[in-house]
Amino acid sequence: MVPTSKFLQLLCSVSFIFTSNVTCFVVPSLKKSIPTRRISPTSGNYNYLKQQLVYITLQEKENSEFDAFPWEDALPADDNAEETLLRLHLSVKEDDNNNVDMETALDQVQKYTQSFPFAAVLPVQPLQYLPTHDGGVDVLFLRKKTKEKGSVDGGMRFFVRPDPSGGIDILVKRNSKGQVISKMFTEKLVVQSFVQGISGENDEKTGKAPTDLVSVQSVFHPWL
């Protein structure tokens, strides 16, 4: 079976990501060399392929340098089984008397998360977001209900908890219930906007972050 031209183009494109020294790609069955197609780092194809590679290695990273928060095992089984979209750790700042007010800091971070303008970040995506009893927020993506599909098209679940060793943890899990088509691009926009917001880099669009009380100490998500 002779490979199609589209298959060869894709194969050659992927080969460039792994090595920049390849000048041609030899297909034995055709006994000819196919010049590689160099992909610009700013092109959509390059970014798409890079994004796929990041997702493939996500689970491996989670099991090594990006360790789970100590309290994650206590999450409901359905939530724990979902893909992790963000792990962010905040350190709590000392006041003028060198005291750390964890209760106030946690309250302000939870309020910021629950009032985050998800609709403004995703103006085209119908959604619903509801504060949860544990200080987090449940974001649901919506669609037109049909006989075959319900009105919920997946979503994202935000958890905000105190870290046993100090500081505040923010965990975002995918909600795949009812999801037929991947919402990767939508998830990316939300995660990146939230990280910028909680860091105090986008107060005009995402609201005033409690940067007087906390600061971002570590962050991991698939689109770094």
Side-chain angles (χ1 to χ4, degrees):
M1 179 178 178
V2 178
T4 64
S5 59
K6 290 185 178 180
F7 173 79
L8 293 176
Q9 289 179 2
L10 177 60
L11 200 56
C12 292
S13 298
V14 172
S15 69
F16 174 71
I17 294 179
F18 293 97
T19 171
S20 59
N21 297 323
V22 175
T23 57
C24 67
F25 186 82
V26 179
V27 182
S29 62
L30 297 180
K31 296 182 180 180
K32 62 184 296 187
S33 297
I34 307 296
T36 56
R37 175 187 173 190
R38 288 185 173 270
I39 308 176
S40 168
T42 59
S43 72
N45 288 336
Y46 180 93
N47 291 332
Y48 173 78
L49 291 171
K50 180 180 177 182
Q51 184 171 266
Q52 302 310 306
L53 294 175
V54 169
Y55 256 88
I56 290 172
T57 58
L58 175 57
Q59 291 301 323
E60 181 181 346
K61 288 183 177 181
E62 284 185 352
N63 295 329
S64 56
E65 56 185 302
F66 301 106
D67 293 332
F69 295 134
W71 47 267
E72 284 189 44
D73 288 340
L75 292 177
D78 289 346
D79 290 322
N80 222 350
E82 294 282 5
E83 190 86 32
T84 297
L85 301 177
L86 173 67
R87 280 196 182 96
L88 186 146
H89 180 74
L90 301 168
S91 60
V92 180
K93 297 180 178 179
E94 296 180 345
D95 60 20
D96 295 336
N97 298 319
N98 297 324
N99 296 319
V100 174
D101 190 348
M102 172 63 76
E103 184 176 349
T104 300
L106 179 62
D107 179 68
Q108 291 302 308
V109 171
Q110 290 177 336
K111 286 182 177 178
Y112 177 83
T113 303
Q114 293 180 336
S115 62
F116 190 79
F118 296 100
V121 175
L122 303 171
V124 180
Q125 170 67 56
L127 56 81
Q128 179 183 43
Y129 51 100
L130 302 171
T132 59
H133 69 281
D134 57 1
V137 61
D138 194 9
V139 182
L140 299 177
F141 303 138
L142 305 177
R143 65 178 170 228
K144 185 176 180 179
K145 186 177 182 179
T146 65
K147 293 181 179 180
E148 295 78 18
K149 302 176 185 178
S151 59
V152 177
D153 192 14
M156 304 170 71
R157 176 67 159 89
F158 284 69
F159 298 90
V160 183
R161 304 279 177 87
D163 191 294
S165 61
I168 299 171
D169 299 328
I170 299 178
L171 174 72
V172 180
K173 287 279 191 177
R174 172 182 294 138
N175 176 4
S176 60
K177 295 178 181 177
Q179 197 171 89
V180 179
I181 300 176
S182 172
K183 292 287 185 179
M184 187 185 301
F185 181 72
T186 300
E187 294 165 347
K188 175 183 177 181
L189 287 178
V190 172
V191 167
Q192 291 182 331
S193 296
F194 182 83
V195 171
Q196 289 179 349
I198 197 69
S199 302
E201 299 176 2
N202 204 5
D203 287 351
E204 293 183 1
K205 293 184 178 181
T206 59
K208 175 64 177 174
T211 51
D212 56 325
L213 298 173
V214 296
S215 61
V216 176
Q217 185 172 355
S218 62
V219 59
F220 166 71
H221 58 76
W223 303 280
L224 285 172

